[in-house]
């Protein structure tokens, strides 16, 4: 009777401990910043921050994982990138584009299914993040218009203030 209880207990214990392995999902891309479909990114110092569900910063796979990323224009031209890791945030990585992008242009970050963890788990499927840079001509036009409005406002309020001071001085002189 004791023997059957021990065998039953060990069997239940083995089944319960194997559940974590059965339901482990592997490596997943949780989100990115800027997000897929974003169209308001600045073209200077462009980088995409990737958030994963597991530690992707292990030094053993960093060199291999650099080949898992490609940053391309909408015409397919590949741009130079650097993949940066943060030891304090091991589930994050930064893909930095090594040149200034063009204004109002679409780009794609391709992440290969071969992106790997130390334990051998991979991303499992290719991911593509579509991004578009801001239209800097529109930004410049809006900024210049706002600057013009600000200058007109400053001149207007300065002239009102000056007129008030002159009127006040005239009243003081008339009172003397």
């Amino acid at each position: 009777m004791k023997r059957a209880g021990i065998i039953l207990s060990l069997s239940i214990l083995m089944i319960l401990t194997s559940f974590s392995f059965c339901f482990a999902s592997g490596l997943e891309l949780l989100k990115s910043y800027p997000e897929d479909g974003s169209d308001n990114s600045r073209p200077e110092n462009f980088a995409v921050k990737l958030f994963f569900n597991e530690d992707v910063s292990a030094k053993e796979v960093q060199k291999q994982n650099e080949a898992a990323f490609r940053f391309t224009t909408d015409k397919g031209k590949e741009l130079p990138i650097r993949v940066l890791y943060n030891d304090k945030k091991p589930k994050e990585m930064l893909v930095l584009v090594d040149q200034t992008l063009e204004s109002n242009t679409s780009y794609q970050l391709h992440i290969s299914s071969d992106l790997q963890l130390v334990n051998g788990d991979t991303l499992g499927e290719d991911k593509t993040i579509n991004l578009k840079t801001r239209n800097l001509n529109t930004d410049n036009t809006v900024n210049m218009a706002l600057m013009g409005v600000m200058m007109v406002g400053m001149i207007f309020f300065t002239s009102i203030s000056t007129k008030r001071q002159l009127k006040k001085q005239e009243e003081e002189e008339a009172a003397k």
Side-chain angles (χ1 to χ4, degrees):
M1 190 68 159
K2 281 185 176 181
R3 185 174 181 170
I6 292 173
I7 292 174
L8 181 63
S9 297
L10 286 175
S11 299
I12 291 172
L13 187 60
M14 285 176 49
I15 290 171
L16 290 176
T17 57
S18 68
F19 277 128
S20 63
F21 298 113
C22 294
F23 294 111
S25 61
L27 181 61
E28 287 182 39
L29 175 64
L30 300 176
K31 66 179 181 173
S32 67
Y33 181 80
E35 294 179 353
D36 186 23
S38 172
D39 63 352
N40 63 351
S41 301
R42 301 273 314 163
E44 307 90 11
N45 300 321
F46 188 82
V48 179
K49 194 172 195 177
L50 302 171
F51 301 88
F52 293 93
N53 66 332
E54 297 201 29
D55 180 356
V56 289
S57 66
K59 298 210 182 298
E60 297 84 12
V61 292
Q62 283 183 4
K63 198 72 167 164
Q64 174 185 340
N65 282 343
E66 286 181 15
F69 297 96
R70 284 186 19 244
F71 194 83
T72 61
T73 64
D74 54 352
K75 295 177 181 150
K77 180 184 174 192
E78 194 167 331
L79 301 177
I81 59 171
R82 283 188 288 162
V83 180
L84 305 173
Y85 302 90
N86 185 350
D87 293 335
K88 294 179 182 171
K89 296 180 180 179
K91 295 181 179 183
E92 297 176 12
M93 67 174 52
L94 194 66
V95 179
L96 179 68
V97 180
D98 275 344
Q99 71 183 47
T100 300
L101 303 179
E102 291 187 32
S103 172
N104 199 26
T105 306
S106 296
Y107 295 94
Q108 293 82 34
L109 174 62
H110 304 278
I111 307 169
S112 171
S113 61
D114 298 332
L115 184 67
Q116 188 173 10
L117 298 174
V118 173
N119 66 5
D121 285 350
T122 60
L123 191 56
E125 63 180 347
D126 291 344
K127 302 275 185 182
T128 301
I129 299 172
N130 296 298
L131 306 159
K132 187 173 181 182
T133 54
R134 295 174 71 135
N135 186 344
L136 293 183
N137 291 332
T138 303
D139 287 356
N140 289 340
T141 303
V142 169
N143 288 340
M144 292 304 285
L146 289 174
M147 193 179 315
V149 167
M150 188 174 73
M151 292 297 289
V152 168
M154 287 173 52
I155 292 169
F156 175 74
F157 289 115
T158 301
S159 67
I160 289 176
S161 175
T162 305
K163 285 179 184 178
R164 284 183 185 164
Q165 282 181 341
L166 287 174
K167 187 177 181 181
K168 188 175 182 182
Q169 283 178 353
E170 288 174 1
E171 289 174 358
E172 286 177 0
E173 285 180 13
K176 285 182 182 178

